[in-house]
């Protein structure tokens, strides 16, 4: 793993620590609907409090257009953040730079916490502006990056700022990087990749990179339909990308060439349309009716994937295997998630999963806690699975190698 420094490598006592978090959590009518990212960040804040740091939390939230937008204020995050750190008070600065931010930071005592307003209220954040990064750097003595899920963004608080202050990884960043490294850089083999989701076109780079890295790959979700079609199968009225046929054939050829065993669905659950309570049928993959849609993997495919899971020692998983948000088309994904959980708990599999839909599916299956690691990242997890260098990780490693 690329080397980077962590909280253990620095003395933060009495220092102002600028903590880049990812508080980009789902909020409805001012209420956080999924606080997992906050809970996973909390141990880093707690450790900093413990060590007597002055903790200054900064984050983006949503996608404002480079100016203040009251609907995207981080204020609703104050209370959930306080709750996550055992009720300790969190001060708030209504601007993330300038006099207002300085005033709030100057009032902090060691062991106290402040939250700065949405970084994206300034154009300089997304532009990775050196001036904006300098304005942030004025507020701190040390930079801690705990936002792996935003590490694919070369933004000022992630990239430029890391070069201006002593920079280290927070606990969550450290955990993410360790898990991802264990899964793909130096894994116990064979490695299985389970890839699902709607479109081949959005996961092309990922498929190409992973085919060169893993011995086993199973593909589900609507993207499997595109591959099945390229193999000459009839997919009826299923969602698929007709214009990707040639690309799909190239992927199948690449898998053969690289000795990656590709496992496609051998049966499916079909229905006339994607709707709750619709009448379903279980069919072999060679018998998909003209007027039916493939909406989930069938029981034979589940059994096949379970058998492959028994063989695998390491798993990376991204994407559901069926239309899991509409029951009963969640069954295939849930059955596979349960099997992954069991094997992991039995010490027979190291399992790493990530991506918004995947995490939701695992939670629905009650298996999220049973995996070795579930990443908090969506886009960053995907880019990592594409073999891309993430600016947020690169910035920390560059600093460590100074
Ligand atoms: C995320 O939620 O995926 C990260 O916070 C990144 O957000 P962004 O896609 O708006 O950059
Ligand atoms: Mg996103």
């Amino acid at each position: 793993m690329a080397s980077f420094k962590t909280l253990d490598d620095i003395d933060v006592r009495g220092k102002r620590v600028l903590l880049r978090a990812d508080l980009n959590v789902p909020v409805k009518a001012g209420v956080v609907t999924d606080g997992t990212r906050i809970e996973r960040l909390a141990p880093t804040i707690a450790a900093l409090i413990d060590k007597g740091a002055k903790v200054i939390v900064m984050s983006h939230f949503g996608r404002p257009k480079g100016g203040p937008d009251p609907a995207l204020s981080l204020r609703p995050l104050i209370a959930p953040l306080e709750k996550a750190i055992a009720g300790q008070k969190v001060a708030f600065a209504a601007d993330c730079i300038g006099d207002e931010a300085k005033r709030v930071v100057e009032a902090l005592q060691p062991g106290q916490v402040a939250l700065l307003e949405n970084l994206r209220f300034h154009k300089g954040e997304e532009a990775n502006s050196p001036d904006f990064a300098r304005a942030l750097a004025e507020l701190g003595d040390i930079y801690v990056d705990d936002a792996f899920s935003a590490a694919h963004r070369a933004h000022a608080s992630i990239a430029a700022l890391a070069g201006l202050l002593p920079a280290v990884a927070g606990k969550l960043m450290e955990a993410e990087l360790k898990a991802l490294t264990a899964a793909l850089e130096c894994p116990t083999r064979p490695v299985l990749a389970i890839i699902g989701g709607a479109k081949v076109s959005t996961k092309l780079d990922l498929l190409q990179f992973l085919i060169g890295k893993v011995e086993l790959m199973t593909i589900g979700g609507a993207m499997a339909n595109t591959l099945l079609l390229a193999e000459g199968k009839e997919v009826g009225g299923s969602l698929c990308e007709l214009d990707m046929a040639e690309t799909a054939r190239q992927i199948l050829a690449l898998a053969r060439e690289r000795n990656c065993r590709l496992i496609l669905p051998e049966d499916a659950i079909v229905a006339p349309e994607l709707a709750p309570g619709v009448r379903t049928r279980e069919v072999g993959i060679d018998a998909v009716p003209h007027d039916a849609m493939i909406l989930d993997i069938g029981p034979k495919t589940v059994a096949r994937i379970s058998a492959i899971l028994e063989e695998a020692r390491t798993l990376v998983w991204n994407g559901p295997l069926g239309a899991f948000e509409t029951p009963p088309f969640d069954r295939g994904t849930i059955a596979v998630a349960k099997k992954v959980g069991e094997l992991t708990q039995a010490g027979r599999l190291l399992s790493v999963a990530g991506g918004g839909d995947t995490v939701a599916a695992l939670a629905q299956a009650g298996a999220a806690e049973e995996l070795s690691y579930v990443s908090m990242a969506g886009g960053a997890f995907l880019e990592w699975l594409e073999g891309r260098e993430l600016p947020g990780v690169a910035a920390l490693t560059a600093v460590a190698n100074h």
Side-chain angles (χ1 to χ4, degrees), residues 194-197 218-225 228 263-271 280-285 288 293-306 309 317 319-324 326 328-337 339:
I194 299 183
I195 306 299
T218 150
I219 298 180
M223 62 190 285
N225 303 338
L228 289 167
I263 298 110
L264 293 178
E266 49 193 76
D267 63 345
I269 305 300
V270 301
T280 66
R281 275 177 64 192
E282 200 183 293
V283 297
I285 213 65
V288 176
M293 296 177 83
I294 299 174
L295 293 167
D296 197 8
I297 51 173
K300 288 202 185 77
T301 307
V302 170
R304 179 93 197 281
I305 296 176
S306 299
L309 277 165
W317 185 354
L321 300 172
F324 89 100
T326 311
F329 307 112
D330 54 350
R331 282 193 194 148
T333 304
I334 288 180
V336 171
K339 181 77 185 177

Side-chain angles (χ1 to χ4, degrees), residues 238-323:
S238 304
L239 209 61
C240 72
E241 294 169 284
L242 292 173
D243 55 340
M244 292 301 288
E246 186 46 37
T247 311
R249 274 189 288 275
Q250 283 164 11
I251 289 171
L252 298 170
L254 183 67
R256 280 192 295 273
E257 191 183 303
R258 304 298 299 262
N259 280 326
C260 172
R261 210 159 99 215
L262 201 59
I263 298 110
L264 293 178
E266 49 193 76
D267 63 345
I269 305 300
V270 301
E273 57 169 343
L274 176 57
V278 79
R279 191 135 57 90
T280 66
R281 275 177 64 192
E282 200 183 293
V283 297
I285 213 65
D286 291 314
V288 176
H290 270 294
D291 52 355
M293 296 177 83
I294 299 174
L295 293 167
D296 197 8
I297 51 173
K300 288 202 185 77
T301 307
V302 170
R304 179 93 197 281
I305 296 176
S306 299
I308 301 282
L309 277 165
E310 300 261 356
E311 240 181 85
R313 289 294 162 267
T314 302
L315 167 72
V316 266
W317 185 354
N318 174 260
L321 300 172

Side-chain angles (χ1 to χ4, degrees), residues 27 33-34 61 79 96 106 110 149 152 157 172 193 216 232 245 260 268-269 311 331 345 351 359 378 385-386 401:
V27 172
T33 53
D34 178 358
F61 182 63
C96 62
E106 269 160 27
S149 47
H152 57 318
S157 65
L172 178 54
L216 305 161
C260 172
I269 305 300
E311 240 181 85
R331 282 193 194 148
Q345 289 302 307
S351 53
V359 176
L385 284 186
E386 292 169 356
N401 293 333

Side-chain angles (χ1 to χ4, degrees), residues 195-242:
I195 306 299
K199 290 180 170 179
V200 169
S201 53
T202 57
K203 293 199 179 168
L204 211 51
D205 291 344
L206 177 153
L207 292 174
Q208 279 163 353
F209 178 71
L210 285 182
I211 282 171
K213 281 268 184 186
V214 307
E215 294 67 32
L216 305 161
M217 180 182 290
T218 150
I219 298 180
M223 62 190 285
N225 303 338
T226 301
L227 293 164
L228 289 167
L229 194 70
E231 276 194 332
K233 302 265 196 280
E234 165 71 59
V235 297
S238 304
L239 209 61
C240 72
E241 294 169 284
L242 292 173

Side-chain angles (χ1 to χ4, degrees), residues 21-28 30-43 45 61 76-77 79-85 149 172 359 363 369 375-376:
D22 186 354
L23 296 176
N24 193 27
V25 297
V27 172
K28 265 201 194 116
V31 179
V32 174
T33 53
D34 178 358
T36 319
R37 276 186 179 171
I38 304 171
E39 287 152 29
R40 299 278 285 273
L41 166 75
I45 302 181
F61 182 63
L77 272 291
L81 203 52
E82 288 176 337
K83 190 167 165 239
I85 54 173
S149 47
L172 178 54
V359 176
E369 304 292 315
S375 174
M376 281 296 93

